[in-house]
Amino acid sequence: MSATLPHGTGPDPEPGPLDLRLVPPALAAWATAALTLDAPTDRTVWIVAVSLLGGIVLLGKSRRGPESPAPPGRRSAWARASLAAVLLCVAASATSAGLQGADVRRGPVPELARRSAIVTADIELTGDPWLSTPRVRGDHTAPAAVLIRAKVRRVEESDGRSTRTRAPVLVVVDGGVAGPERSSGGESEQETPEIPEVPDRVRGAAGDGSASAAGGAGAPSDGVAASVEGSGAPSEKAAASAGGFRARAGQAGWMKLLPSTRLRVGGRLAPALAGGDRTAAVLRVRGSPGARVLAGPSGPQRWAGRLRDGLRAATDGLPGDARALLPGLVVGDTARITPELDDAFKATDLTHTLAVSGSNLTVLLALLTGPPGLARLTERRGLAPRLGLSLRATALFAGALTLGFVLVCRPDPSVLRAAVCGAIALLALATGRRRSLVPALATAVLLLVLYDPWLARGYGFLLSVLATGALLVLAPGWSEGLRRRGVPPRLAEALGAAAAAQAVCAPVVAVLSARVSLVAVPCNLLAEAAVAPATVLGFAALATAPVAMPLAKLLAWGASWPTRWIAGVARAGAALPGAGVDWPGTWSGALLLAAVTVAVVLAGRRLVRHPWWCGLFGVLLLLALVRPAPLTRVVTGWPPPGWRYAMCDVGQGDATVLAAGAGAGVVVDAGPDPAAVDRCLRQLGITRVPLLVLTHFHADHVAGLPGVLRGREVAAIETTGFEEPGQEAEFVRREAAGRHIPVTRAVAGEERRTGPLSWRVLWPPADTGRPPAAGPPPVTGPLAGPGVPAGPGPPPPDGPVAAPEFDGPNDASVALLVRAGGLRLLLLGDLEPPDQQALLRSPEAAGMAGVDVLKVAHHGSAYQDPELTRLVAPRVALISCGTGNPYGHPAPSTVAALRAGGALVLRTDRDGALAVGGAGGADGEVRVTRDERP
């Protein structure tokens, strides 16, 4: 069956089976490279020798020709030639992988790393710097570190011995290290590269969709896990990135550096924790001696950097999503992508648009040549004939455009992969010959693996090859089948391509994310139409920015409209409750998903003949995506009807919800992970948050704030007045200011009410700190419903107030006494025993006796006041803690004391999310429901 190719191409002039002759050699070379990169040298030599000898022998036999002219003889000769090609490719791949793998292991750097030696090294940067993903570690956020891929050109040990080498390393620069200074003998100031402004929030990184590029790089320890693929370029990091914190002053100097810059740094070498990586060691830079610039970037890199800076400048005045997204669509610059937007692209499988891909280059070349099927004909279209370019001149111009594309987007593995795959896609359109495309793809795989064997272990490379192969092999037939059933041609082509790529790539994506997106195909279909205009206008802005900034800004403004459409599609798709389902993130899970995909495709071929069945399954899929709350409650039992209080399972942290009416809830703390708290609130059906209370500023209570704000109307945020740690307090203020949410301060005695919910603030006392500079007083605001006045509360103090003598943020936690329906709940935040004792001596103590539900302080740690526990005497005690946390929470002594007082003790690490309902009181029941869904 011949496939009609899109956009002006004719049918395949050579119908017949696919030409798969080059596929076995390419796959053999790929597998060999993956297996021999870190294999012992003697084993690699044996593989090369045996494969080379076998290939030569078989090739010699096949050249002598078949003994018989009959078809069996010809088939035998063809089989020998094919096997010879496989063996020769295995020999070539083993040679390349063995040499490059040995190149990483040879020299003094690996041995110095094993000894954790302190060295002085001359390094040459091979990629752009990026910030690691800040990680919540207990009650604080580990600061982000600057990560840079580089090659060590010279290493000097502490005894003065100096050795020249070329070992690849991952450079880690912590926040306190000052930026590099210019060497006295370096370049003149005129040769200094133009420096881009460091964005306010810089994304973290993970290499090529693999594990984190530097897991724990922000931690004090010297060990850093390098990524599996290990490119370290921003374009490689788009598949699995998360937002970081504001770059510090010293880090800003490092973030300005361009590839090919040469530095002299002092630091400690450590082994890379991820085996089989292209990194010989991790070099953690020390503050003393300071780093120095030995030589600036090369001319081409400086030129490329200025173009990228010009695009950033041209997008500065655009709305938030367009300003963040357009540089990523054009050149893979994802520095401005926020964690919220990044999560939306992950949930909808649109992260490929944030990385430089073959489609970018294809769009540009198609703009030059017009419909590629007409590229060699007299009626060819595009810009080339309008500019009077001959076919030869067009080919040369296209080659120059490809070279410039690779340079501006950085010649990293992902960009080289994109250039090759883009050229293949263009060849597919230009020739209209389906049989020639698979050999072209196999040739590209073979050449890329021989050039850079590390690609053989990269998830990004695997996804690119799978997607390209699906577009060449599956998509034409699927599109043709849809056209035969009356689907419009353009829609059939787009749907066939999106479905084929998703079906083939989904198992690999599931291994990376442990999740399967149910909205990937429709979201990719909706976004596809906007990618081409955004790319073309974005590249036009990139090219014109150095010479005509007003025109570049106008072009960027035009590109912002399709860019915002793409961002809107991602946000809308991710906002659906059923946007994705959890899936085992293992290769056995990938095989299971592949089997399910095959079954769905086979069943779909039969179902398309029955419109009624198709409609029924369409309705079921829509219900699975939208998940109406009544239906979800009936099917899953969560959330239980009449719930009053819910404790989310967010790991080692706190995030709880007080029901405040239909779709509304007062949220107390946000936990450490935005995704976890967002998922919990979605499952509870919370779309409006009249008040978000952040009991104190430890990261395990506030780092999940973006997840609470995501897609919800949050009227106000209330916090403690003790603003430590300062980094987390500044983070909360910045997030609130970005969404124009007032921030107020909680003080003891404040009373509020909304709907059936009322509460009183028990702690901290009114002199906890200065009142906020802006926002309503603590007892006013949006919570007083119609006809329900807020409680009087104490007036805000006049003038400056002395800061409390607290030992830490836990002591200033906001404690609440809540009445929800008939239930009385006591939420103690992370109060420590001295503050619990002070609370016990306060006038509020009488109201705390005999509560129905206690949110145990500080994740159930051993530090509890026994007198307060006896006074409170809860019927149910809930503890929020993470599985296998290093603090031993909850403490056995705390659990035993609560049970001795008659409390039912439940904990999120074992029982999952918890919901409390019932009438409460002395005679009423208290119902606790576990979320038992997998």
Side-chain angles (χ1 to χ4, degrees):
M1 179 181 66
S2 64
T4 303
L5 295 176
H7 307 303
T9 59
D12 190 348
E14 299 179 11
L18 294 174
D19 186 352
L20 303 178
R21 288 175 294 179
L22 288 179
V23 172
L27 293 178
W30 191 346
T32 302
L35 294 174
T36 56
L37 275 168
D38 52 3
T41 303
D42 54 349
R43 184 183 305 172
T44 303
V45 171
W46 274 105
I47 293 174
V48 172
V50 172
S51 301
L52 186 61
L53 180 62
I56 292 174
V57 171
L58 289 173
L59 192 61
K61 288 186 177 182
S62 64
R63 282 189 173 183
R64 288 198 296 268
E67 298 176 357
S68 169
R74 289 196 297 271
R75 285 197 296 269
S76 176
W78 178 86
R80 286 195 296 267
S82 299
L83 184 56
V86 169
L87 291 175
L88 292 176
C89 288
V90 166
S93 179
T95 301
S96 177
L99 291 175
Q100 295 201 35
D103 199 36
V104 171
R105 299 188 296 270
R106 73 163 58 97
V109 171
E111 176 58 30
L112 291 171
R114 283 189 286 271
R115 294 192 277 116
S116 298
I118 297 176
V119 300
T120 299
D122 293 351
I123 61 175
E124 180 179 347
L125 307 191
T126 57
D128 288 295
W130 77 95
L131 285 183
S132 66
T133 303
R135 298 175 183 271
V136 176
R137 297 176 179 270
D139 57 11
H140 69 283
T141 300
V146 177
L147 307 178
I148 317 173
R149 292 284 174 186
K151 283 191 176 182
V152 175
R153 296 300 186 184
R154 187 187 68 86
V155 60
E156 180 180 329
E157 301 180 45
S158 56
D159 59 4
R161 285 185 298 172
S162 179
T163 307
R164 292 192 176 276
T165 183
R166 55 181 184 183
V169 295
L170 176 66
V171 181
V172 180
V173 186
D174 290 320
V177 180
E181 300 176 353
R182 181 157 299 281
S183 174
S184 58
E187 296 175 329
S188 64
E189 191 65 29
Q190 285 76 13
E191 294 174 305
T192 303
E194 185 176 347
I195 300 304
E197 178 186 356
V198 179
D200 289 343
R201 291 181 66 82
V202 184
R203 298 184 52 191
D208 212 0
S210 64
S212 172
S221 63
D222 284 336
V224 178
S227 68
V228 177
E229 213 289 322
S231 74
S235 56
E236 287 288 298
K237 298 185 274 288
S241 304
F245 283 89
R246 191 183 297 267
R248 300 183 179 183
Q251 292 175 329
W254 291 92
M255 295 297 295
K256 300 172 182 179
L257 299 174
L258 294 173
S260 75
T261 302
R262 300 193 67 171
L263 305 174
R264 178 166 295 166
V265 299
R268 183 184 297 274
L269 287 170
L273 298 184
D277 185 65
R278 69 171 80 212
T279 304
V282 173
L283 175 60
R284 185 176 291 276
V285 175
R286 298 162 61 91
S288 178
R292 289 187 297 157
V293 177
L294 300 179
S298 63
Q301 288 291 355
R302 187 180 292 112
W303 171 79
R306 285 172 179 161
L307 286 177
R308 293 164 68 97
D309 296 345
L311 180 61
R312 293 191 194 101
T315 58
D316 276 343
L318 299 180
D321 281 350
R323 178 179 181 271
L325 189 55
L326 187 57
L329 288 173
V330 177
V331 294
D333 181 358
T334 57
R336 292 170 171 172
I337 300 292
T338 63
E340 181 183 3
L341 186 59
D342 184 67
D343 289 342
F345 273 76
K346 289 178 182 177
T348 53
D349 278 0
L350 285 172
T351 49
H352 62 89
T353 62
L354 300 179
V356 177
S357 64
S359 61
N360 298 61
L361 182 60
T362 302
V363 168
L364 295 178
L365 295 181
L367 179 67
L368 176 66
T369 63
L374 307 177
R376 297 174 298 168
L377 306 179
T378 56
E379 64 269 25
R380 64 194 181 102
R381 303 171 189 169
L383 294 178
R386 288 171 172 77
L387 297 175
L389 298 179
S390 64
L391 284 175
R392 181 172 298 179
T394 301
L396 293 175
F397 194 86
L401 183 62
T402 302
L403 181 61
F405 171 83
V406 171
L407 185 61
V408 171
C409 298
R410 306 298 193 221
D412 298 302
S414 67
V415 180
L416 296 176
R417 184 178 67 233
V420 173
C421 291
I424 292 173
L426 193 66
L427 177 65
L429 297 176
T431 62
R433 297 174 59 188
R434 184 182 172 211
R435 296 186 65 228
S436 66
L437 304 181
V438 174
L441 176 60
T443 302
V445 171
L446 181 60
L447 294 177
L448 284 171
V449 168
L450 293 178
Y451 170 75
D452 186 2
W454 299 102
L455 287 174
R457 293 183 174 181
Y459 284 107
F461 183 66
L462 175 60
L463 288 170
S464 288
V465 174
L466 289 176
T468 306
L471 294 177
L472 300 181
V473 177
L474 297 179
W478 291 12
S479 300
E480 178 65 22
L482 291 171
R483 281 195 293 268
R484 287 200 307 267
R485 289 169 174 82
V487 179
R490 293 296 181 104
L491 179 59
E493 291 161 8
L495 185 59
Q502 179 66 18
V504 173
C505 295
V508 180
V509 174
V511 173
L512 296 175
S513 62
R515 190 169 176 81
V516 177
S517 175
L518 300 181
V519 296
V521 172
C523 286
N524 274 273
L525 277 176
L526 292 171
E528 181 184 5
V531 170
T535 301
V536 171
L537 291 173
F539 268 102
L542 175 84
T544 56
V547 294
M549 182 56 72
L551 178 58
K553 287 182 175 292
L554 180 62
L555 292 168
W557 176 82
S560 70
W561 291 94
T563 302
R564 280 186 283 176
W565 169 259
I566 297 172
V569 168
R571 291 186 184 277
L576 293 172
V581 294
D582 294 333
W583 198 268
T586 61
W587 286 111
S588 58
L591 291 176
L592 176 61
L593 181 58
V596 171
T597 303
V598 171
V600 169
V601 171
L602 294 177
R605 296 181 64 180
R606 296 179 176 272
L607 284 176
V608 293
R609 305 170 188 169
H610 306 282
W612 286 104
W613 281 106
C614 291
L616 176 60
F617 278 98
V619 170
L620 293 177
L621 178 60
L622 182 62
L623 291 175
L625 294 176
V626 177
R627 292 186 184 179
L631 179 63
T632 303
R633 184 172 296 160
V634 170
V635 174
T636 67
W638 184 266
W643 69 275
R644 300 290 187 179
Y645 176 69
M647 177 172 281
C648 299
D649 182 9
V650 294
Q652 184 64 19
D654 270 5
T656 63
V657 188
L658 293 158
V666 172
V667 178
V668 182
D669 285 325
D673 181 12
V677 68
D678 179 41
R679 180 170 58 251
C680 176
L681 294 177
R682 288 181 190 279
Q683 293 168 351
L684 294 172
I686 301 299
T687 58
R688 294 184 298 109
V689 180
L691 183 69
L692 167 61
V693 179
L694 299 176
T695 59
H696 60 294
F697 289 106
H698 273 151
D700 57 335
H701 292 249
V702 304
L705 175 59
V708 179
L709 303 180
R710 187 173 302 157
R712 294 179 185 87
E713 178 187 349
V714 179
I717 297 175
E718 190 170 62
T719 70
T720 179
F722 188 71
E723 297 188 348
E724 294 293 338
Q727 179 183 5
E728 311 301 340
E730 170 60 22
F731 164 70
V732 171
R733 287 193 297 268
R734 189 168 62 247
E735 291 289 323
R739 293 167 173 82
H740 308 288
I741 301 174
V743 179
T744 63
R745 197 188 78 193
V747 293
E750 169 193 337
E751 292 184 355
R752 294 200 186 189
R753 177 178 296 175
T754 177
L757 187 65
S758 63
W759 66 93
R760 182 177 179 86
V761 177
L762 306 179
W763 194 266
D767 61 349
T768 303
R770 301 175 185 271
V779 296
T780 63
L783 286 179
V788 183
D798 296 327
V801 180
E805 295 182 359
F806 287 147
D807 292 334
N810 286 348
D811 302 295
S813 291
V814 177
L816 303 175
L817 182 62
V818 181
R819 183 173 292 276
L823 291 176
R824 295 173 61 247
L825 306 96
L826 179 61
L827 315 182
L828 290 177
D830 278 3
L831 285 181
E832 301 286 357
D835 310 289
Q836 296 180 20
Q837 294 166 7
L839 188 60
L840 190 63
R841 296 190 298 268
S842 72
E844 310 287 354
M848 296 187 295
V851 299
D852 296 303
V853 179
L854 170 68
K855 201 291 293 183
V856 182
H858 203 179
H859 319 291
S861 76
Y863 301 103
Q864 311 287 335
D865 181 65
E867 293 297 327
L868 181 64
T869 302
R870 283 191 287 270
L871 172 68
V872 171
R875 300 171 66 182
V876 175
L878 304 182
I879 302 173
S880 180
C881 56
T883 303
N885 68 82
Y887 312 101
H889 294 162
S893 59
T894 298
V895 174
L898 290 167
R899 286 176 175 164
L904 170 66
V905 181
L906 298 171
R907 41 197 283 189
T908 57
D909 62 334
R910 295 181 179 177
D911 302 305
L914 301 164
V916 181
D923 301 324
E925 65 172 348
V926 179
R927 299 188 305 272
V928 183
T929 304
R930 300 179 179 89
D931 182 10
E932 298 179 348
R933 296 173 302 166

